[in-house]
Amino acid sequence: MAIPWLTMLKVVPWGDVIGNAPKVADGAKKLWSAVGRKPEPVAPMPPVAGLPPESRAIAELQGRLDAVEATTTHLHSQMIASTELIQALAEQNTQLIARIEAHRIRLAWLAAATAIAGVAALAAWAAVLVR
C-alpha cells in the first residue's frame, strides 16, 4: 500500500530541512572553491626512442608516469564537473525548499479562509432555516 502524499509531507521535518538548506548551499560553495583553486596537472611529455636498455626502462616508467598523470588530470576534471553539479543541485534545493515553504504557508491561509467561509455558510443556512 502506498503512503499518501499528504501523510508523507507531514512526516518531513520542514523546519530542519529549511534550516539546513543554506548550510548545504554553503558547503557546496566551499567544496567548489576548494576544488576549483587547485591547478591542473601538467600535460605528459612523450618518451624518446632509440635509447640503451636502462634508458628504455626509465622511458617506459616515464611513460607509465605520464599515463597516470593523464588519468589524474581526467579525474580532476571529472571532480570539478561533479562539484559544479553538486553546487547547482544545492542551490536548486534551497530554492525548492523556499518555494515549498511559501506554498505551505499559502495553503494554511487558504485552509483558514475556507474554514471561515464554511462557518459563515453554515450560519447563513441556519439563519434561513430559523426564519
Side-chain angles (χ1 to χ4, degrees):
M1 183 173 163
I3 298 175
W5 280 99
L6 187 59
T7 305
M8 188 173 70
L9 289 175
K10 286 181 182 179
V11 173
V12 175
W14 291 110
D16 293 341
V17 173
I18 292 168
N20 289 328
K23 293 177 188 174
V24 171
D26 290 340
K29 288 177 186 176
K30 287 178 184 176
L31 177 63
W32 169 243
S33 64
V35 172
R37 278 195 318 243
K38 295 181 181 175
E40 294 267 338
V42 179
M45 295 174 43
V48 179
L51 298 174
E54 298 86 22
S55 297
R56 267 191 249 143
I58 292 173
E60 182 181 329
L61 290 175
Q62 183 64 40
R64 286 178 154 182
L65 179 62
D66 292 343
V68 168
E69 287 177 349
T71 302
T72 303
T73 302
H74 179 69
L75 290 174
H76 187 263
S77 299
Q78 286 181 345
M79 185 174 60
I80 288 174
S82 296
T83 55
E84 287 174 349
L85 176 63
I86 289 169
Q87 181 181 10
L89 289 173
E91 289 172 359
Q92 288 176 2
N93 185 39
T94 302
Q95 292 173 0
L96 178 65
I97 296 302
R99 288 181 183 173
I100 288 173
E101 179 63 14
H103 286 300
R104 188 189 65 80
I105 291 170
R106 190 175 299 148
L107 183 63
W109 279 104
L110 287 173
T114 303
I116 291 170
V119 168
L122 285 176
W125 183 63
V128 168
L129 288 179
V130 169
R131 288 187 185 191

